[in-house]
Amino acid sequence: MATVTDTVNAAEPRSALPAELEKSQVRKRAALMRRRASFRAGPELRVCVVGLGYIGLPTASLLGTKGCQVTGVDVSSEVVATINEGRIHIEEPDLDLMVKSAVQAGKLRASTTPVEADVYILAVPTPIAADKQPDLSMVQAAARSIAPVVGKGALVILESTSPVGTTETIVARELAAAGLVIGEDVFVAYCPERVLPGRILTELVENDRVVGGVGDTSTEVALEFYQSFVRGEVVGVDSRTAEMVKLAENSFRDVNIAYANELSMVCARAGVSVWEVIRIANRHPRVKILQPGPGVGGHCIAVDPWFIVASDPQGAKLIRAAREVNDAKPHWVIERVKQCAAKVREPVIACLGLTFKADVDDLRESPALDIVKELARERVGELLVVEPHLLFHPEFELVPVEEALSRANIVLVLVDHKPFKRIRREALHEKLLIDTRGLFL
Ligand code: SAJ
């Protein structure tokens, strides 16, 4: 019977590689072939997901419902307790049902410490510091926390959006420091998530994915794993390319939104409606202008382009300019509110929406929240804050939309939540309107 090594040699023409190098390649291939069949999502597979936020928790519960034995790890004991009770700490359609069913089936449990597993997924935050430099301390801490329990043959995947080189220089390095040989003892890869908040559970399965290994063997093993539960196509590259793909995607969107935001300010100065301009321009077969807003928020688009700028400050001119345009938009909105407020004797401002975009409860990097905070700080008027996706806010008393509309003389639309789309135009009669989302225009 052919051994694994025989099979590898039989399948490939003999190379002119030095004997040592060739042996190591054969060893890697052999390791790969031993692992291939094991990385299918199913009852045999033990998965440890580090970081139970917007990406980690949906991923952990999805794999739990596919039959994997999943341990979710988080530094917050409150989050761990909530999940172990089958409940969730974030809002996302259907996530509550999925977590509940995975926990009740005994397929998902949360813990504050990592356990031994076949697959590790690191999904921790990678914010930017005040100086716009990436803060990778949580990736470092996550890699360091799993290193002592990672056994031979495991697959370790970084999913957090990261600067190019992070998978090699942080994750692989931590595992190597624990004595593991990358590509032989342990397989290491980068696989960015691409899900859109509000559609996470659908997009986790349906979207195409890119997987980049530290070495070809790791790419192959990681491909195998994702192909076992993703319906979209999974493309294999090296880890640095995969890291850049993720940054390129979000920077592309940021640049395009910046174009819409800049256009909105240019149109306002020219006295034309940007919404009408965009609607008509988009009838051109090759034009697809995005929507202006009060600025760009969320933990991705408003952050990730800085990773490119930080790595190439001289080269990334357009990407930096887009960030600056989008960051400046909230100040422009505030100025417009002040101009309106100056026109009424006692400004009462209905502020519609606080979250970073429509139909989510997420306040991270929210331009709407920044605008309302600044209006409050500058005492521009009485603020009636409406946010249907939050029960309360520590700084602002939230009021129902009907009450805000009946009392306000200025209406400031900041988020295009579904309930706001149902507001009848008569409710805005004789009020000054600043509609940053084009809801009523
Ligand atoms: N926005 C506009 N105008 C638009 C579109 C968006 O002002 O036409 C604003 C939104 O209001 C929001 C911000 O941009 O403040 C970002 O929202 P988004 O819906 O564009 O994106 P995110 O941050 O929810 O998710 C993005 C997605 N990336 C891309 O579309 C390239 C998602 O696929 C990624 O998985 C996610 O970032 C991430 O985690 O990186």
Side-chain angles (χ1 to χ4, degrees), residues 12 71 93 113 119 151 154 179 182 209-210 218 237 242 277-278 338 419:
E12 292 195 337
T71 305
T113 46
V119 179
I182 311 301
R209 300 288 290 255
V210 57
S218 291
V237 288
V277 168
I278 292 175
K338 284 190 198 164

Side-chain angles (χ1 to χ4, degrees), residues 41-70:
E44 308 295 311
L45 203 69
R46 298 165 303 162
V47 182
C48 179
V49 179
V50 183
L52 295 174
Y54 282 86
I55 301 305
L57 184 56
T59 306
S61 55
L62 173 74
L63 290 168
T65 57
K66 299 262 173 216
C68 301
Q69 198 59 51
V70 184

